[in-house]
């Protein structure tokens, strides 16, 4: 899609009331008139393909033209996906059971598909027996929807709470569960950050057809819940890909900034990710399995035995790349992508 066609398509979908609400937020924090803010939002949309959400989230009002050109905006991210991710292969990443089959060697854990009741040849008794065998010896299991995003629909279940596995199976179907997975045991050094969730790494790779580059990496950390997802109560910070250490203070979806974890007290800046070199090699190897999908955000967990793959995202969300606490110089990460594209 050309630049102007993209802009027109976005204008048709935009909500001017939402734009006005965000412009008011920017006006209050910057001291600029709301009208001027809205005009600048429109300009950034045309010039940098930045949505009004991008503008507010990245605090683009503080950046000059040179700095704004370095941001991965909604439009830039969409172009990266269109260029490197063949639509005919994206289904491998969109469906978790299909993904687990293709990336079986990277999972490091047992898993089981939950069939729909109208599936061809469905036999509740046989499936309930598979479920009983899968649950044997497991204190907790992870239930996931087949095509969920952002941690939505993921639940931790205790098999001991269920004795009738036929009823249990029906309950999973009613929940919309697509598959079950064995619980991951994370590395002690990752558990120190926060022990009640699996604190995952988002490793963003670009396979340009010649070279696989780890463009950037993010550490997501739980905070009071069972999942680490940023949009579901967690927090995140960037990782220095050269050293494997956390670069900045963590931030949550409410824009609260934390120098240390509010529950565990662990300071963030400089905290080393265990087995970092293994994690980098692992992500690059995974990026070569389906080269037709070259721009991927891999979610990894670090176990005592090494990294394991949680999932791969064929449409990586760009919103976490350039949050203001992680761009103190007002420069975005587009140059990192441009370097990877030319590698």
């Amino acid at each position: 899609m050309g630049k102007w066609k993209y802009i027109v398509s976005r204008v048709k979908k935009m909500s001017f009331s939402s734009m006005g609400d965000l412009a008011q937020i920017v006006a209050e924090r910057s001291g600029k008139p709301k009208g001027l803010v809205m005009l600048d939002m429109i300009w950034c949309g045309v010039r940098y393909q930045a949505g009004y959400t991008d503008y507010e989230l990245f605090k683009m009002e503080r950046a000059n033209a040179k700095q704004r050109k370095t941001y991965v905006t909604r439009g830039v991210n969409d172009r990266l996906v269109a260029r490197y991710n063949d639509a005919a292969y994206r289904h491998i990443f969109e469906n978790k059971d299909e993904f687990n089959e293709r990336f079986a060697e990277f999972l490091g854990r047992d898993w089981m598909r939950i069939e729909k009741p109208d599936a061809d040849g469905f036999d509740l008794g046989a499936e309930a027996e598979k479920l009983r065998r899968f649950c044997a010896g497991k204190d907790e299991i992870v239930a996931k929807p087949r095509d969920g995003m952002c941690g939505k629909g993921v639940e931790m279940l205790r098999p001991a709470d269920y004795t009738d596995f036929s009823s249990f199976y029906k309950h999973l179907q009613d929940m919309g569960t697509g598959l079950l997975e064995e619980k991951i045991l994370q590395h002690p050094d990752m558990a120190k950050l926060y022990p009640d969730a699996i604190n995952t790494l988002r490793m963003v790779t670009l396979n340009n057809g010649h070279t696989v580059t780890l463009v950037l990496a993010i550490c997501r950390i739980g905070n009071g819940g069972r999942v680490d997802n940023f949009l579901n109560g967690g927090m995140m910070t960037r990782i220095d890909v050269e050293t494997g250490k956390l670069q900045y203070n963590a931030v949550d979806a409410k824009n609260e900034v934390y120098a240390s974890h509010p529950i565990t007290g662990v300071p963030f800046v400089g905290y080393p990710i265990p087995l970092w070199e293994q994690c980098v090699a692992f992500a690059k190897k995974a990026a070569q399995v389906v080269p037709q999908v070259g721009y991927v955000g891999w979610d990894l967990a670090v176990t005592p035995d090494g990294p394991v793959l949680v999932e791969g995202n064929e449409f990586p969300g760009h919103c976490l790349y350039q949050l203001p606490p992680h761009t103190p110089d007002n420069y975005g990460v587009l140059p990192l992508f441009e370097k990877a594209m030319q590698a």
Side-chain angles (χ1 to χ4, degrees):
M1 184 184 295
K3 173 182 175 181
W4 288 105
K5 285 186 178 180
Y6 177 82
I7 292 172
V8 171
S9 70
R10 295 305 305 164
V11 168
K12 290 180 178 178
K13 297 177 182 178
M14 68 185 297
S15 165
F16 286 94
S17 62
S18 297
M19 179 182 177
D21 292 341
L22 293 179
Q24 182 64 38
I25 293 173
V26 174
E28 291 175 358
R29 75 189 181 201
S30 66
K32 298 179 180 180
K34 179 179 177 180
L36 289 180
V37 170
M38 293 187 72
L39 287 175
D40 197 34
M41 282 181 167
I42 294 170
W43 166 246
C44 285
V46 173
R47 180 65 181 84
Y48 310 109
Q49 290 80 65
Y52 47 81
T53 301
D54 289 343
Y55 188 100
E56 189 278 327
L57 183 65
F58 301 149
K59 293 188 176 180
M60 293 184 74
E61 77 276 5
R62 64 184 180 154
N64 58 37
K66 183 180 179 181
Q67 293 165 332
R68 287 173 171 181
K69 288 173 62 177
T70 67
Y71 277 83
V72 175
T73 62
R74 170 70 179 268
V76 171
N77 195 61
D78 286 355
R79 290 203 305 273
L80 286 169
V81 170
R83 177 174 178 177
Y84 289 101
N85 295 352
D86 188 331
Y89 291 85
R90 293 182 195 172
H91 62 91
I92 298 170
F93 293 80
E94 293 169 345
N95 302 322
K96 288 183 171 60
D97 52 350
E98 190 174 357
F99 179 86
N100 281 11
E101 290 176 346
R102 182 64 70 94
F103 289 90
E105 67 173 294
F106 297 86
L107 297 181
R109 62 193 181 280
D110 194 11
W111 70 282
M112 173 185 171
R113 180 186 290 106
I114 299 299
E115 303 290 353
K116 294 182 178 180
D118 58 353
D120 291 342
F122 177 75
D123 183 334
L124 179 59
E127 294 299 325
E129 176 58 21
K130 289 181 186 178
L131 177 60
R132 185 192 65 77
R133 293 197 301 267
F134 176 83
C135 292
K138 298 179 176 69
D139 62 336
E140 278 189 318
I141 55 176
V142 184
K144 295 182 176 182
R146 186 170 188 256
D147 55 0
M149 298 176 63
C150 302
K152 293 180 180 179
V154 176
E155 293 195 34
M156 302 294 296
L157 302 175
R158 289 176 49 83
D161 294 338
Y162 305 88
T163 55
D164 181 347
F165 284 91
S166 292
S167 298
F168 187 14
Y169 202 97
K170 288 181 179 178
H171 175 64
L172 293 169
Q173 291 174 327
D174 292 341
M175 286 171 53
T177 300
L179 68 157
L180 301 176
E181 292 183 350
E182 184 179 9
K183 184 177 68 173
I184 295 171
L185 175 64
Q186 69 180 334
H187 192 286
D189 289 345
M190 294 301 292
K192 285 180 183 177
L193 286 168
Y194 176 72
D196 294 333
I198 303 299
N199 306 304
T200 58
L201 312 180
R202 168 62 65 89
M203 312 282 278
V204 180
T205 60
L206 189 74
N207 184 345
N208 66 5
H210 303 283
T211 303
V212 176
T213 302
L214 175 62
V215 182
L216 56 87
I218 292 166
C219 182
R220 299 184 301 195
I221 307 148
N223 183 23
R226 297 299 304 273
V227 297
D228 67 340
N229 193 276
F230 182 73
L231 298 179
N232 281 295
M235 56 181 69
M236 54 77 61
T237 184
R238 289 263 301 279
I239 304 171
D240 184 330
V241 298
E242 299 298 328
T243 66
K245 295 181 179 180
L246 303 188
Q247 277 186 287
Y248 304 104
N249 293 335
V251 62
D252 65 17
K254 297 178 181 179
N255 292 320
E256 295 289 338
V257 179
Y258 303 87
S260 58
H261 198 288
I263 295 176
T264 64
V266 175
F268 291 119
V269 176
Y271 192 88
I273 299 299
L275 309 177
W276 176 247
E277 291 184 1
Q278 289 187 39
C279 293
V280 174
F282 184 90
K284 289 184 176 181
K285 183 179 179 182
Q288 299 175 61
V289 174
V290 185
Q292 296 86 353
V293 181
Y295 170 35
V296 181
W298 305 98
D299 290 342
L300 275 58
V302 188
T303 77
D305 299 321
V308 298
L309 190 53
V310 177
E311 65 181 18
N313 299 272
E314 87 296 344
F315 202 108
H318 68 292
C319 62
L320 301 184
Y321 298 167
Q322 306 138 133
L323 295 177
H326 306 153
T327 54
D329 56 1
N330 296 346
Y331 282 89
V333 299
L334 182 56
L336 300 178
F337 283 89
E338 292 173 336
K339 183 178 180 180
M341 293 164 69
Q342 298 166 7

